[in-house]
Amino acid sequence: MISGSAVQAVLFYGMRGSGKNRLAQILAKAWLCRQPTKEGACGECQACLAFDRKRSADYLEIEPVGASRIIRLGAISPTSPEDDDYPIPAQMFLRTPPLAARSRVVSISEAERLNPRAANSLLKTLEEPPPYARFILLTESVGAILPTVLSRCLAVACEVPAGLVGFEDWALSVAGGAPGRARELQDHAAIYRRIYEFAVSLPRRSPAEALLAAEQFTALADSLQAARKLAARAADAEALQVLAAAYRALPDARPAALQAMTETHRRILGNANAGSAFDALFATVVG
């Protein structure tokens, strides 16, 4: 059991929906638990109950922020002028021993989004952590993690299980076989299936339909925003991600179109105007 070992940093990697977030929660709770068993956290001590209520003073979760979805230095180091974006930098959080738990746990989602300064600052913390410190990193792109950071973590691959049942073909195709992601898609099948069917129709469209396709995709993104109660930019980015995943699985998918979808996704996250970005995208994709 990792929770009872000398390991201080674990990196879970795998595609979206592969279960890495659930594993991270299980490990975090086990590391916090004051009386863990061989199976993990006891679920009854003060530390476990606080974690379940999302009120643990000994657990710090770090995620990308801003339109660029980057984890900046202020998330790790208290010496940065960017600290206002984060409740407390990890290094400052770790200066204090656990208040109610067995360890202090720092969890970093989308760890590949650490910018170089943040990654190097994290490396220094991983090299000489206090004895009570524990780290959990999660990523879909293990190759984008700074090698020296990766070398200081126990890397755990979260693989998609074979023989999945109970999922529709279109959802598994878009999810790349990841059960968690497929379940998320099927939970909102009314809108996600429409985006999938839109993607399937693209190779059959003529160049004259480019503007119409952009209008239709905008409407789909708006519907997704309403169905999932997302912010507009988040809905646009999610719709693009599903579009690209569905299109990528087509036998007649064009690499140039996929590259355009990836670039448009990057531009949307970078605060580009969605209308203009979609017009430019479908001028490339259609026809």
Side-chain angles (χ1 to χ4, degrees):
M1 179 69 185
I2 293 175
S3 66
S5 73
V7 173
Q8 285 193 276
V10 173
L11 182 142
F12 292 107
Y13 64 95
M15 66 176 61
R16 182 175 177 181
S18 59
K20 61 184 180 297
N21 290 293
R22 177 59 182 153
L23 288 174
Q25 291 289 299
I26 292 171
L27 177 59
K29 188 173 179 179
W31 268 341
L32 292 165
C33 180
R34 297 193 65 85
Q35 46 193 30
T37 67
K38 291 182 179 179
E39 288 72 36
C42 72
E44 299 176 353
C45 69
Q46 180 183 354
C48 286
L49 295 176
F51 182 79
D52 289 342
R53 294 193 299 267
K54 302 186 184 302
R55 293 184 177 178
S56 176
D58 295 305
Y59 178 70
L60 177 66
E61 199 164 37
I62 296 173
E63 298 179 338
V65 298
S68 60
R69 300 293 295 161
I70 292 295
I71 301 175
R72 298 196 297 271
L73 179 60
I76 309 299
S77 171
T79 61
S80 168
E82 301 166 320
D83 288 345
D84 288 346
D85 286 332
Y86 306 93
I88 179 171
Q91 291 175 357
M92 184 176 293
F93 172 77
L94 293 173
R95 287 177 182 174
T96 306
L99 300 177
R102 189 164 51 102
S103 306
R104 296 215 107 179
V105 179
V106 176
S107 177
I108 304 178
S109 298
E110 299 181 57
E112 75 279 2
R113 306 296 295 174
L114 286 156
N115 72 13
R117 296 176 68 201
N120 283 316
S121 184
L122 174 63
L123 174 61
K124 293 178 181 177
T125 307
L126 290 171
E127 286 174 337
E128 297 181 1
Y132 51 78
R134 298 292 183 272
F135 303 87
I136 300 173
L137 282 67
L138 301 100
T139 183
E140 293 182 31
S141 180
V142 68
I145 302 298
L146 191 69
T148 44
V149 168
L150 183 60
S151 69
R152 284 163 176 77
C153 299
L154 172 65
V156 178
C158 300
E159 299 180 351
V160 176
L164 294 174
V165 296
F167 296 102
E168 297 181 38
D169 289 344
W170 70 269
L172 282 175
S173 176
V174 174
R181 177 59 165 162
R183 186 174 298 110
E184 179 184 24
L185 295 168
Q186 287 191 184
D187 286 345
H188 302 275
I191 178 58
Y192 281 124
R193 186 197 288 271
R194 287 170 59 198
I195 298 174
Y196 169 79
E197 292 171 347
F198 175 84
V200 170
S201 76
L202 290 177
R204 301 192 301 270
R205 295 186 177 228
S206 69
E209 297 179 88
L211 288 179
L212 174 61
E215 292 174 2
Q216 292 173 334
F217 186 72
T218 298
L220 288 171
D222 290 344
S223 295
L224 178 62
Q225 179 185 359
R228 296 292 309 273
K229 296 180 173 56
L230 300 172
R233 192 166 305 283
D236 291 338
E238 170 74 352
L240 280 166
Q241 191 171 47
V242 174
L243 178 72
Y247 184 83
R248 184 178 292 110
L250 300 179
D252 46 1
R254 294 187 297 114
L258 282 170
Q259 184 177 352
M261 291 176 190
T262 301
E263 175 61 20
T264 303
H265 185 269
R266 185 194 65 77
R267 291 181 59 205
I268 289 295
L269 292 178
N271 215 28
N273 177 272
S276 299
F278 292 161
D279 286 346
L281 170 63
F282 290 102
T284 299
V285 170
V286 175

